[in-house]
Amino acid sequence: MNARTHVVVIGGGYAGTLAANRLQQNSDIDITLVNPRPRFVQRLRLHQFAAGTGDATADYGALLGRRVDLVVDNADRIDASARTVHLTSGRALTYDYLVYAVGSTGATPATVPGAAEFAYPIAELEHAARLRSAIADLGPDAWITVVGGGLTGIETAAELAEQGHKVILACGGRLAPSFSEPARRSVADWLTKHGVGVVESGVVAEVRPDSVVLADGTDLPSAVTVWTAGFGVPDLAVRSGLRTDPLGRLLTDETLTSVDDDRIVAAGDAVAPSGQPLRMSCYTAGPTAATAADTVLSRIAGVEPGLLSLAYMATNVGLGRRAAHFQLTRKDDTPVNIYLGGRIGSRIAGSLKEAVTKGTLWGIRREARKPGSTVWPKGGTRPAIAELDSLHS
């Protein structure tokens, strides 16, 4: 009789859920998924939830394979020497292998006065719910300022403007920095035509209860300030004594194995392979999750794990419920001067964007039904360290 192997997956987002499902390829593995919420959060839809135009959760019952045991709890500390995860409830889970997939979260800088007190992050469900309540209480003439010109900021500003709100987008630099110049101009044109005031060079110096002050002294009216300029990661690895990069992402080799412990692998936003993190995105979550799961399966089978390999093809940004822009990229995630957008193309791109968003859950469900089914483009060289401004595919 074969001995049972217990694998604990920390984090039930896009990466952790897919990795847990993929581990079912080995019937001798017991799989436990630890997540703080009883429902899956679709982070790609948090801006819609905050704007009151849609839901952002899904039922784990329809996403997880039958052999995955969901534990709703928080992981407080990993004791690598004892191979134990200590939970907030007081429970302790022992493991043979651990998949670290804690994801990312919002980050408001302590160096900007008032940001932590008065700005609303949007990176997590609880953040978006708080923002949704604040927006619901606004009068018709109230201004909303969205801070951050990355893809999350653009999508939030566009969604709110489409609902009739008066919106200013303070970019703090370049709008859509991951896009090519032609695509950036097209996105800016769309926002302007749909009522979003774009302040591209607006570096925020202070957030007040009713305004945002820029570094040049400009005072922008803001009954609600949404902060999307930058993301961080949970500090679980740091608190557990595991080596991380400066942001707190777990340092791994190219098999996504921790540089400290070959029983710990990582996936998603909180991993830095060879010290060089990938773009924080749903696109990256799938290949890293599958690679992490495959590394565990290989080690259990006594074979050498494969190396992480993925090629990027495109990135996208939603512009309200019916429009979007798709930016084509090289395999290393750098943009080319080809995009789908403009007056007609944005509607086609909007349909593609919605299909991609729905497809993320479809892929997780497929992995639950048929473990090992996830495939992705490979062969790309490692991209440069991405700007931490996007939660998008």
Side-chain angles (χ1 to χ4, degrees):
M1 181 176 179
N2 293 331
R4 306 293 298 176
T5 301
H6 187 205
V7 181
V8 172
V9 181
I10 302 178
Y14 294 105
T17 304
L18 192 145
N21 285 338
R22 193 174 181 91
L23 288 167
Q24 293 179 112
Q25 292 175 85
N26 186 332
S27 60
D28 293 322
I29 296 178
D30 296 322
I31 308 157
T32 301
L33 176 65
V34 179
N35 192 66
R37 304 177 189 90
R39 289 180 62 82
F40 180 90
V41 175
Q42 299 185 70
R43 297 187 73 185
L44 298 178
R45 296 195 185 279
L46 284 177
H47 65 287
Q48 296 170 354
F49 176 67
T53 60
D55 191 12
T57 63
D59 183 5
Y60 274 117
L63 295 176
L64 292 176
R66 290 178 294 177
R67 293 182 43 237
V68 179
D69 179 28
L70 175 65
V71 173
V72 180
D73 210 331
N74 282 287
D76 278 347
R77 184 172 61 88
I78 301 165
D79 185 341
S81 61
R83 295 181 190 164
T84 303
V85 179
H86 295 274
L87 307 180
T88 301
S89 64
R91 183 177 176 185
L93 300 175
T94 59
Y95 64 83
D96 296 296
Y97 289 91
L98 177 73
V99 179
Y100 187 84
V102 297
S104 56
T105 186
T108 50
T111 55
V112 178
E117 293 85 355
F118 304 120
Y120 292 81
I122 195 174
E124 301 202 30
L125 181 64
E126 293 78 11
H127 297 162
R130 180 170 165 259
L131 174 59
R132 180 181 175 125
S133 296
I135 291 172
D137 292 337
L138 291 179
D141 295 324
W143 283 93
I144 300 173
T145 297
V146 178
V147 179
L151 306 188
T152 302
I154 292 169
E155 290 199 344
T156 303
E159 194 79 19
L160 291 169
E162 191 173 76
Q163 298 309 304
H165 294 287
K166 300 169 70 173
V167 182
I168 297 172
L169 179 60
C171 299
R174 299 172 72 226
L175 177 73
S178 59
F179 277 29
S180 64
E181 287 301 319
R184 290 181 60 249
R185 289 194 296 270
S186 184
V187 170
D189 287 345
W190 190 98
L191 291 170
T192 300
K193 290 176 181 177
H194 289 79
V196 177
V198 179
V199 184
E200 192 156 355
S201 60
V203 177
V204 174
E206 182 182 0
V207 178
R208 295 173 178 171
D210 56 359
S211 69
V212 170
V213 182
L214 304 183
D216 64 3
T218 302
D219 197 335
L220 303 175
S222 185
V224 169
T225 300
V226 187
W227 196 277
T228 72
F231 292 89
V233 298
D235 64 352
L236 176 61
V238 173
R239 287 187 282 110
S240 301
L242 299 169
R243 278 184 283 178
T244 68
D245 73 355
L247 191 71
R249 290 169 287 215
L250 190 70
L251 290 176
T252 72
D253 63 15
E254 292 299 309
T255 70
L256 303 186
T257 302
S258 167
V259 296
D260 296 310
D261 192 322
D262 63 6
R263 296 297 184 113
I264 299 176
V265 301
D269 290 347
V271 60
S274 301
Q276 192 173 21
L278 298 159
R279 188 210 315 165
M280 285 184 171
S281 67
C282 185
Y283 183 94
T284 305
T288 57
T291 300
D294 290 350
T295 292
V296 172
L297 293 169
S298 294
R299 290 232 161 84
I300 293 172
V303 300
E304 190 68 22
L307 305 181
L308 173 67
S309 177
L310 75 157
Y312 290 86
M313 297 185 297
T315 185
N316 61 70
V317 63
L319 299 169
R321 299 312 297 267
R322 294 176 295 276
H325 275 44
F326 265 74
Q327 169 67 61
L328 299 184
T329 69
R330 301 179 182 89
K331 290 182 178 181
D332 68 354
D333 205 26
T334 56
V336 298
N337 287 331
I338 303 173
Y339 71 95
L340 180 60
R343 185 172 60 87
I344 298 174
S346 63
R347 292 302 178 101
I348 300 172
S351 298
L352 290 174
K353 166 72 174 177
E354 180 62 19
V356 168
T357 301
K358 290 180 177 178
T360 58
L361 295 190
W362 177 87
I364 292 172
R365 292 189 188 103
R366 186 167 184 263
E367 193 70 38
R369 296 191 306 268
K370 188 180 179 182
S373 61
T374 298
V375 295
W376 63 94
K378 299 181 181 181
T381 57
R382 183 61 55 79
I385 294 176
E387 295 193 28
L388 307 179
D389 66 354
S390 174
L391 298 178
H392 296 84
S393 54

